[in-house]
Amino acid sequence: MNLTPAIEIYQKTVCLDSIQAIFTETGMGSYDVILEINSNKFLIALHNIADQIDTLEIIATKWFIEINNKIILMIKKLIEHLRYRLD
């Protein structure tokens, strides 16, 4: 009989109009986020320190979008806003 410990995955979903974000906790203050804005999807890794985003990395996107500094800052602010709605 093989007894393996169960892995618990903590996911929370936030919806706001046509925006949906699925937050998956990956460790102490670290999250993977699937952000969907209309038909655009982003896979984002982030790390929080003291309720502030310390690092944010856009890992993948679905559909073509030109990633520039303005888009990254907009996504960061949007993720911060959605993260506060989790509680």
Side-chain angles (χ1 to χ4, degrees):
M1 184 176 197
N2 186 5
L3 296 176
T4 57
I7 298 173
E8 293 186 32
I9 297 175
Y10 297 103
Q11 285 187 331
K12 292 186 179 181
T13 302
V14 178
C15 297
L16 180 66
D17 295 329
S18 62
I19 300 170
Q20 178 181 1
I22 302 170
F23 290 81
T24 305
E25 189 173 358
T26 58
M28 297 286 293
S30 296
Y31 295 89
D32 286 340
V33 181
I34 298 174
L35 177 65
E36 185 173 348
I37 304 170
N38 295 327
S39 61
N40 295 304
K41 288 188 178 181
F42 302 88
L43 175 59
I44 300 166
L46 64 93
H47 182 74
N48 292 328
I49 293 179
D51 286 336
Q52 297 288 329
I53 294 178
D54 180 47
T55 59
L56 181 132
E57 180 180 1
I58 299 173
I59 298 172
T61 63
K62 179 183 174 192
W63 299 111
F64 176 76
I65 186 165
E66 184 177 331
I67 302 291
N68 57 33
N69 198 37
K70 188 181 258 187
I71 296 289
I72 294 169
L73 291 174
M74 185 268 312
I75 288 173
K76 180 182 177 189
K77 288 181 181 181
L78 180 59
I79 291 289
E80 286 176 338
H81 178 73
L82 294 171
R83 189 174 48 104
Y84 287 125
R85 296 178 65 100
L86 284 176
D87 299 327

